Amino acid sequence: MTLIPVNQYGDKILRKKAVPVQKIDPEFVKFVKDMFETMHNAYGVGLAANQVGSNKSVFVVDISVMKEFPDEKPRVFINPKIIDRSDKTCSYEEGCLSIPDVRADVIRPEKVTIAFKDLDFNDQVMEVDGFLCRVIQHEYDHLNGIYFTDRIDEFEQKKLKKELIRIKNRKIEVEYPVTPRERD
Ligand code: ZN
């Protein structure tokens, strides 16, 4: 099992836009497998490549770990593009393996349509709603350098500021491997 250290709030790569994947090779397949292991080990339901040090445009999702979704399967989204968003929005409390112990309500579209490539590099289009849709939008944001904390109002952001600095400085206790603090 290969666990990859998870980048934490403030790490430069988490502000970078992902680069499209050109081909699926054994190295990439191994990386995706490692992403799942890293995510499962941390009890996460989603993980984007830049959270584990890669600029590749890929994220993984597995909500079957939650008791409400036992029939769900692990999913891989390569070169994803959200091509449609519902006007109707909803609010849900989110967390992030790169922002441990911080949670906040985030308003997002209730439904989205996402185009992506699967692990066989075939094109797929999926319309999603509910919790899966929430996780997909959160991970999709990562690939565009966006944290969920960017999407809350200024007042809420101010309340979290100290926490975010604490994470940046690695004054945190987490049960999974994280990257060391980056120099400014
Ligand atoms: Zn996240």
Side-chain angles (χ1 to χ4, degrees):
M1 186 157 93
T2 310
L3 297 178
I4 314 173
V6 179
N7 283 95
Q8 299 294 292
Y9 187 91
D11 288 2
K12 289 181 190 68
I13 195 165
L14 290 172
R15 283 295 185 202
K16 297 241 165 81
K17 273 196 167 210
V19 175
V21 174
Q22 301 296 345
K23 65 171 174 29
I24 310 291
D25 55 20
E27 195 190 340
F28 182 77
V29 173
K30 162 86 166 70
F31 174 64
V32 169
K33 196 170 163 259
D34 292 343
M35 284 181 76
F36 274 113
E37 282 174 355
T38 300
M39 178 181 77
H40 287 141
N41 175 67
Y43 298 102
V45 290
L47 187 72
N50 59 350
Q51 290 183 275
V52 283
S54 164
N55 67 355
K56 289 188 169 72
S57 181
V58 56
F59 64 79
V60 297
V61 172
D62 185 3
I63 64 169
S64 70
V65 293
M66 297 182 70
K67 62 177 188 315
E68 298 95 322
F69 310 105
D71 300 328
E72 266 291 334
K73 53 179 189 198
R75 296 172 186 274
V76 184
F77 297 83
I78 298 163
N79 300 346
K81 175 113 183 77
I82 291 180
I83 53 174
D84 197 25
R85 294 171 169 84
S86 65
D87 293 332
K88 199 172 174 207
T89 57
C90 57
S91 179
Y92 193 87
E93 193 186 63
E94 297 187 19
C96 181
L97 296 181
S98 296
I99 315 179
D101 295 330
V102 169
R103 303 192 73 83
D105 288 320
V106 184
I107 298 167
R108 296 186 188 272
E110 202 173 64
K111 284 182 193 175
V112 302
T113 305
I114 185 164
F116 60 99
K117 284 184 185 294
D118 62 22
L119 213 41
D120 296 316
F121 223 46
N122 292 323
D123 288 312
Q124 304 284 350
V125 177
M126 223 172 108
E127 204 187 313
V128 279
D129 60 6
F131 184 65
L132 182 61
C133 178
R134 175 62 54 163
V135 178
I136 283 172
Q137 291 182 76
H138 176 116
E139 300 312 326
Y140 185 78
D141 269 356
H142 274 305
L143 297 183
N144 288 296
I146 300 166
Y147 296 106
F148 77 92
T149 49
D150 298 339
R151 295 202 178 275
I152 58 179
D153 65 43
E154 262 177 63
F155 178 73
E156 292 296 321
Q157 279 182 356
K158 272 200 186 119
K159 287 203 293 191
L160 293 181
K161 208 172 173 189
K162 268 190 191 155
E163 282 293 288
L164 296 178
I165 291 169
R166 207 171 51 83
I167 294 166
K168 198 176 171 199
N169 294 330
R170 299 297 187 274
K171 304 256 184 284
I172 47 172
E173 271 180 48
V174 277
E175 307 268 308
Y176 47 91
V178 299
T179 55
R181 187 194 164 175
E182 270 181 15
R183 285 161 187 268
D184 289 325

